[in-house]
Amino acid sequence: MAEQKTVVKTTGFVGPNSASDPVEIDIADGRPIRSRPLEYAKFATEDLNPWVIRARGGEFKAPEKSQPSLFGIAWKQRVDSPNRILHPMRRVDWDPAGERNPQNRGKSKYVRISWDEAMDILTSEVSRIKDQYGMNSIFVQSDGHHQVKIVHGARGCEGYALDLLGGYTLQARNPDSWEGWYWGAKHMWGQDPVGQGMQTNLFKDVAENSDDVLFWGCDVNTTTWGGGGQGSSRYCFFLRDIGVRQIYVCPDVNYGAAVHADKWIPVLPNTDAALQLAIAHVWMTEGLYDRDYIDTHAVGFDWFEYHVMGGDDGIEKTPAWAEPICGVPARRIKALARSWARRNVSIAHCNGGSFIRSTYSHEPARLEVALLAMQALGHPGRNQLKFMEFGLFGLDSQNPLPRPKFTPNMHDIMFPYHADKRESFVTEVLVPEALGGDYTPENPLTWYGVTCSGMPVADQFDLKRYPAEGCERIHMVWTDAPKWVSSWNGGNEFIDAIRSDYIETVVAQHIWMEDDCLFADLLLPVNTKFEERDIVCDTVSGAFSAVWLEEKATEPRGESLSDYEICVEFCRRMGVLDQYRNGEPIDETIRRGFEGSGCQWFTSFEEFEQNHGYLIPIAKNWEEDAPGFLNFYRDPEAYPLSTPTGKIEFYSQALAEHFPDDVERMPYPRWIEKGPWHPDERLTTPRAERYPFLMVSNHPHFRLHSQYDDAPWIREIPGCKVTGPDGYAYEPVWINPADAARLGIGDGDICRIFNDRGWTMGGAIVTERIMPQVVLQDHGARLDPIIPGVADRAGCNNTICPKHTASKNCCGEVTSGYLVGIEKVDVFELARQYPEAFSRPYDPETGTLHLQAMTADAE
Ligand SMILES: Nc1nc2c(c(=O)[nH]1)N[C@H]1C(S)=C(S)[C@@H](COP(=O)(O)OP(=O)(O)OC[C@H]3O[C@@H](n4cnc5c(=O)[nH]c(N)nc54)[C@H](O)[C@@H]3O)O[C@H]1N2
Ligand SMILES: Nc1nc2c(c(=O)[nH]1)N[C@H]1C(S)=C(S)[C@@H](COP(=O)(O)OP(=O)(O)OC[C@H]3O[C@@H](n4cnc5c(=O)[nH]c(N)nc54)[C@H](O)[C@@H]3O)O[C@H]1N2
Ligand SMILES: [Mo]
């Protein structure tokens, strides 16, 4: 009989530190054979007090089983992906003792080397850089939506090790998920750290009190899969059953809209600010807002009114003015404004799409606060509901669902990294600039803020610089998150930068051969969480929070190690192992994690081990906490906001004082058509004659950012890929039938998507689900370079998004809502032009086999 066992693994990978979507995995003969939803009752050691929301005759209650997304089910396939890096490798023409050939990164192949040799290279390169330039010349890229591992996790392992040797320069994670809220809304309603509304008990409040929910740049059947599995969609079915109207405002009929929308209001990407101003105009001119609330809860409203009525720029922001800008007919804007003013309306987001990740994203975010304020934010049924929080940050009062009865905290066993405490760091959106640009201590790159998403608002007024005072520039890159090119802004510029002469050494530790790995000099093989024992804190699932003991499911593949184990070996060789978590055994760290989790008060470690985890009961009195901004609504003096005045600030004195000359983020929210930072990223600019479409690059329905692009079960789902006549599965690009007809593009045709930053490709899906003048291609397809730094075959569209930040003083990413052109291509002609790129080893189930393509041995 085959040896069988079942282990628990969490499979939602959106919370870098907070796990979610647990599944039970059956293992036979050392291989994971089946992943299935986990039955909570099996793991409960006491009464879980499952939450239930009763409203308007309906009932919505905690699920009995976990609700994993397709990612959770398909994950096990990635363990044996043909792109798994199984051994350490070195780029053939990179010789640390001789020629380094940085220009060949992305072109030249790799040879297998031993761990011994790899560690020799790594340790001697670190020592060399230290002696030659100082430790801050080593750049650590260690952030990203890794698999959630606590002990073995990538996040920060090498940084912690390098700190023992004197430091490093950190890639400081941006508030990528929240840019607009962070750079804009925070200045209106406070709400540190990320600038979104208070969430406590809002699922209950909306169910009880809202007439309508505006899903404004929100897809409850896609992005909520990143963490809370299917919970959000279930909740929306419940809203339907109890008669809450669901209105979607977005350029596309996204997957949530397709299932749940009562109404779709198409709006051109990143033009929401015009629509919002026109709504405010209707309310102002028709007296449809709560003037008393504004008087008692807000400051500076006159400035906003002045702008809406055209006092400052001579343009009255009427619905007729907004119509050509945002593509919503004036009559519809008026109808929406009037109906909104009569009813209890909440706005729902996951985070907001190009509404908040585009040029001047601080404006729509601020304008949303303005609109909510005009309709008495915090009044029952009038709040900002966050579906991302279907458990995310579920530890505290930010959770719209009932809370667990205590707060598990395992952060003490993770390696912390905080840019605000570092001598040297670079904000993530400026990485191509920092790596490739001509910066010196005398001529530094500067920007405002540490930018880490946890920072308080005052951080945005602090000027930062690279290279840091008295430090050399970066000469070595060590990454454990090699996905810059597919997940960040200005991918092609990144490729140019990583191939520059400045960068002498690039080390990547990764599981699969993909994306930035193609540009590394030294590759170190990492294993998946299936191959290790670990402890995780599950706070994002939305049903119950839990701490899980994830037993090893299968043996490590090839010679792979966990990120942590790699760094342990590195520290051993550098003579600092004793200081590296005291060199303690992993099982001991797991036990220590448990002891710091809060669970230790309720169960013993032995019991925890036996049960594979501990499920946290829901607090008995969860319904007592005031939902959202209710307290502020009732008594703004007793419950002030965290803004300088404690009120909603339509005019921010702080912005006025710190940035008196900023014409792009002024003290009050506005419509910014263009500005010095982005003179030509709108359909109204002459540049749009060459690139007449706005690109919407959503978070992928079929991936988690750059991950899962090789999972056969996902790739075979209709709509995931479009297979071309050459048999290659291209990333879909949605285009409206009117545009497609004009350009002679038919359904299934393969296209080139281009602008002056380069080009990528896509398989056309001609559909009414996308509005005219817009093309949609999800982000994160695995790079398949045709000409590195110029052209890509996979639909890795971050290669051609702007490198430039949200606005002059705001280091937000701009990864969606920018100009592109599209045209049909002949793939066979391209194959003749670029024979090497078009003849890479390929497997229809997983896509391009980059490992084979890039391995010299395989030839
Ligand atoms: N076009 C466009 N771009 C966007 C956005 C958008 O809306 N549109 N959104 C932005 C947002 S909100 C975000 S959060 C970012 C996401 O960007 P990132 O957080 O950078 O996301 P991932 O691509 O998921 O990067 C995770 C990487 O870690 C790797 N990995 C997973 N597990 C392990 C492990 O155990 N060890 C090691 N060493 N590696 C591991 C994965 O394979 C992958 O390479 O993207 C941003 N980019
Ligand atoms: N499946 C999956 N789930 C994920 C992730 C993933 O990569 N894949 N990533 C996770 C992460 S890190 C984050 S931050 C969240 C992101 O969550 P979101 O920011 O909410 O996700 P997006 O897909 O960028 O945008 C959501 C929707 O906004 C709409 N939209 C796009 N542009 C505009 C616009 O200009 N105006 C308006 N009004 N609407 C617009 C589109 O309909 C899109 O479906 O998702 C998380 N969940
Ligand atoms: Mo994100």
Side-chain angles (χ1 to χ4, degrees):
M1 253 249 321
E3 193 215 331
Q4 294 228 10
K5 67 173 176 178
T6 299
V7 301
V8 174
K9 289 280 169 190
T10 55
T11 59
F13 300 131
V14 99
N17 311 328
S18 11
S20 63
D21 297 350
V23 295
E24 281 190 274
I25 301 189
D26 298 328
I27 315 290
D29 285 335
R31 299 185 83 81
I33 54 165
R34 189 183 304 110
S35 311
R36 44 192 173 78
L38 159 161
E39 287 171 48
Y40 287 114
K42 266 171 59 179
F43 296 87
T45 44
E46 53 188 299
D47 175 19
L48 289 175
N49 186 34
W51 50 266
V52 49
I53 295 173
R54 292 192 184 87
R56 296 166 168 168
E59 198 176 74
F60 180 57
K61 49 184 180 183
E64 286 161 13
K65 288 181 188 176
S66 64
Q67 313 162 92
S69 69
L70 71 177
F71 304 138
I73 305 300
W75 215 100
K76 68 185 179 69
Q77 296 190 301
R78 301 204 72 206
V79 174
D80 289 307
S81 155
N83 276 318
R84 267 300 287 267
I85 300 173
L86 297 173
H87 312 284
M89 295 193 290
R90 180 179 58 78
R91 186 158 64 83
V92 287
D93 54 354
W94 178 77
D95 176 4
E99 283 300 313
R100 288 171 187 256
N101 296 305
Q103 75 287 353
N104 286 344
R105 294 190 179 117
K107 286 185 187 160
S108 41
K109 302 197 176 193
Y110 295 85
V111 283
R112 177 175 171 178
I113 56 175
S114 67
W115 262 117
D116 227 27
E117 195 182 334
M119 277 295 163
D120 280 350
I121 297 175
L122 181 61
T123 50
S124 65
E125 279 299 279
V126 167
S127 306
R128 179 185 66 84
I129 299 274
K130 180 178 182 174
D131 295 345
Q132 210 170 329
Y133 310 108
M135 287 301 281
N136 282 322
S137 286
I138 304 178
F139 188 53
V140 171
Q141 299 185 287
S142 191
D143 63 87
H145 289 278
H146 296 114
Q147 307 166 80
V148 183
K149 305 164 171 173
I150 295 292
V151 180
H152 292 281
R155 291 195 140 220
C157 285
E158 67 270 40
Y160 190 81
L162 292 172
D163 264 342
L164 300 175
L165 303 167
Y168 62 96
T169 292
L170 174 73
Q171 170 173 287
R173 183 69 173 202
N174 237 62
D176 44 49
S177 313
W178 306 283
E179 305 285 13
W181 311 115
Y182 188 85
W183 302 103
K186 271 210 215 187
H187 298 284
M188 275 190 85
W189 63 3
Q191 291 301 110
D192 282 332
V194 298
Q196 289 182 306
M198 291 188 199
Q199 295 302 312
T200 308
N201 284 343
L202 280 190
F203 283 134
K204 182 167 181 285
D205 178 57
V206 164
E208 286 174 350
N209 301 308
S210 297
D211 302 308
D212 298 344
V213 177
L214 296 174
F215 291 78
W216 206 311
C218 180
D219 183 350
V220 294
N221 283 57
T222 294
T223 46
T224 46
W225 286 351
Q230 315 290 355
S232 302
S233 190
R234 275 187 67 230
Y235 176 71
C236 292
F237 281 119
F238 165 63
L239 290 186
R240 178 201 63 189
D241 292 346
I242 60 172
V244 179
R245 220 166 43 157
Q246 303 179 48
I247 300 168
Y248 274 68
V249 186
C250 40
D252 53 324
V253 178
N254 63 32
Y255 296 85
V259 179
H260 299 291
D262 293 300
K263 191 185 263 296
W264 172 40
I265 301 180
V267 58
L268 284 167
N270 195 27
T271 64
D272 301 82
L275 170 61
Q276 292 162 312
L277 283 162
I279 291 169
H281 186 274
V282 174
W283 290 347
M284 284 175 187
T285 49
E286 299 184 10
L288 294 178
Y289 69 100
D290 194 333
R291 184 76 222 194
D292 294 341
Y293 180 96
I294 295 292
D295 288 343
T296 47
H297 291 69
V299 296
F301 184 72
D302 295 354
W303 283 90
F304 180 57
E305 201 168 21
Y306 190 61
H307 177 63
V308 173
M309 301 314 289
D312 54 353
D313 57 4
I315 301 166
E316 223 179 303
K317 311 300 175 304
T318 62
W321 162 82
E323 175 174 330
I325 299 175
C326 67
V328 186
R331 61 182 159 73
R332 262 193 130 174
I333 301 177
K334 286 183 206 156
L336 172 63
R338 288 171 188 154
S339 124
W340 185 341
R342 280 198 312 271
R343 298 161 69 91
N344 287 326
V345 178
S346 279
I347 299 182
H349 295 288
C350 187
N351 274 318
S354 53
F355 179 82
I356 54 112
R357 256 172 252 115
S358 195
T359 61
Y360 309 127
S361 54
H362 27 77
E363 301 311 299
R366 288 200 283 180
L367 286 164
E368 178 165 315
V369 179
L371 296 185
L372 286 167
M374 288 176 80
Q375 298 302 336
L377 168 72
H379 176 291
R382 304 182 194 177
N383 274 290
Q384 185 194 58
L385 175 67
K386 281 286 317 294
F387 277 99
M388 182 86 171
E389 256 78 295
F390 209 96
L392 184 60
F393 310 140
L395 304 173
D396 53 29
S397 57
Q398 281 289 309
N399 191 349
L401 278 173
R403 297 161 317 290
K405 74 180 179 195
F406 66 94
T407 297
N409 176 1
M410 297 200 298
H411 290 239
D412 60 323
I413 60 158
M414 293 179 352
F415 297 124
Y417 61 88
H418 293 290
D420 52 323
K421 303 198 174 64
R422 299 214 67 83
E423 183 179 24
S424 177
F425 68 92
V426 177
T427 180
E428 188 144 3
V429 283
L430 295 179
V431 165
E433 207 42 54
L435 294 186
D438 251 343
Y439 297 103
T440 60
E442 296 71 44
N443 171 37
L445 172 66
T446 59
W447 68 92
Y448 284 98
V450 163
T451 75
C452 264
S453 46
M455 299 301 293
V457 70
D459 177 57
Q460 297 182 25
F461 307 135
D462 235 11
L463 195 69
K464 305 291 177 189
R465 52 178 283 163
Y466 158 83
E469 207 87 47
C471 296
E472 267 279 353
R473 61 167 303 121
I474 294 163
H475 290 289
M476 170 173 172
V477 172
W478 187 349
T479 175
D480 67 27
K483 44 60 212 180
W484 216 97
V485 71
S486 49
S487 284
W488 286 86
N489 54 315
N492 277 339
E493 284 92 342
F494 174 80
I495 294 176
D496 290 345
I498 199 91
R499 301 166 87 200
S500 81
D501 287 342
Y502 288 129
I503 308 302
E504 298 166 12
T505 307
V506 180
V507 181
Q509 52 189 58
H510 200 44
I511 310 168
W512 306 279
M513 187 65 180
E514 57 193 24
D515 297 325
D516 307 358
C517 288
L518 310 183
F519 303 94
D521 302 325
L522 182 64
L523 281 162
L524 307 177
V526 173
N527 57 21
T528 68
K529 67 185 295 179
F530 279 58
E531 296 148 71
E532 298 286 359
R533 182 174 198 251
D534 212 327
I535 183 172
V536 300
C537 189
D538 169 0
T539 53
V540 194
S541 298
F544 301 97
S545 292
V547 178
W548 299 110
L549 184 64
E550 299 193 356
E551 293 291 357
K552 189 186 217 178
T554 179
E555 288 305 311
R557 299 299 190 251
E559 292 183 286
S560 62
L561 299 173
S562 75
D563 296 274
Y564 173 62
E565 290 163 337
I566 291 174
C567 292
V568 164
E569 183 54 21
F570 172 74
C571 286
R572 196 178 64 74
R573 288 175 182 239
M574 298 301 279
V576 290
L577 185 59
D578 285 354
Q579 292 129 277
Y580 196 64
R581 228 190 247 162
N582 309 318
E584 82 188 352
I586 283 160
D587 285 344
E588 187 46 41
T589 314
I590 291 177
R591 180 187 278 271
R592 199 151 55 76
F594 169 82
E595 296 300 342
S597 71
C599 301
Q600 76 278 15
W601 301 319
F602 300 89
T603 185
S604 68
F605 185 73
E606 288 63 36
E607 207 179 14
F608 172 74
E609 239 179 342
Q610 214 171 11
N611 290 334
H612 303 289
Y614 178 71
L615 267 173
I616 300 164
I618 301 299
K620 289 275 184 266
N621 57 348
W622 67 271
E623 289 179 271
E624 288 166 17
D625 283 358
F629 287 96
L630 182 65
N631 282 336
F632 172 71
Y633 165 79
R634 285 191 177 141
D635 188 346
E637 307 304 327
Y639 296 96
L641 302 178
S642 62
T643 53
T645 57
K647 304 268 171 82
I648 297 167
E649 300 194 347
F650 280 85
Y651 183 94
S652 161
Q653 194 59 37
L655 281 181
E657 279 162 19
H658 286 95
F659 302 108
D661 304 323
D662 192 338
V663 293
E664 298 179 317
R665 184 181 54 167
M666 289 176 57
Y668 55 96
R670 295 161 49 97
W671 166 251
I672 308 286
E673 175 81 25
K674 59 182 178 179
W677 215 240
H678 293 285
D680 51 11
E681 214 56 80
R682 301 256 188 216
L683 286 172
T684 44
T685 145
R687 192 168 158 260
E689 283 162 26
R690 279 173 292 146
Y691 315 118
F693 291 87
L694 284 169
M695 160 73 100
V696 170
S697 179
N698 290 334
H699 285 228
H701 188 67
F702 296 106
R703 283 184 299 273
L704 193 97
H705 308 297
S706 67
Q707 307 181 62
Y708 297 95
D709 204 15
D710 59 357
W713 285 351
I714 297 182
R715 289 170 69 93
E716 72 187 27
I717 300 172
C720 177
K721 295 284 175 186
V722 173
T723 303
D726 52 356
Y728 185 93
Y730 289 88
E731 182 68 14
V733 54
W734 292 11
I735 182 167
N736 185 272
D739 291 324
R742 198 162 34 80
L743 296 173
I745 295 172
D747 198 55
D749 281 350
I750 306 307
C751 299
R752 212 168 70 92
I753 305 159
F754 57 92
N755 58 28
D756 28 18
R757 294 180 284 266
W759 54 279
T760 183
M761 295 179 69
I765 295 187
V766 177
T767 171
E768 299 276 0
R769 285 178 65 177
I770 190 75
M771 65 190 295
Q773 293 185 285
V774 184
V775 293
L776 179 150
Q777 186 176 56
D778 283 352
H779 103 93
R782 269 185 309 159
L783 180 77
D784 199 353
I786 297 173
I787 311 167
V790 177
D792 153 69
R793 191 181 180 192
C796 180
N797 52 57
N798 280 41
T799 50
I800 60 165
C801 74
K803 180 179 71 165
H804 240 21
T805 54
S807 68
K808 183 162 183 278
N809 295 315
C810 303
C811 272
E813 68 176 52
V814 178
T815 46
S816 192
Y818 57 89
L819 290 178
V820 296
I822 182 167
E823 66 188 9
K824 182 177 166 174
V825 288
D826 176 347
V827 285
F828 297 109
E829 178 51 35
L830 282 175
R832 275 189 289 276
Q833 265 176 293
Y834 306 103
E836 200 207 323
F838 278 73
S839 61
R840 293 198 178 111
Y842 187 82
D843 168 16
E845 289 217 315
T846 53
T848 298
L849 302 174
H850 288 287
L851 185 77
Q852 279 84 334
M854 297 293 280
T855 320
D857 298 356
E859 282 187 341

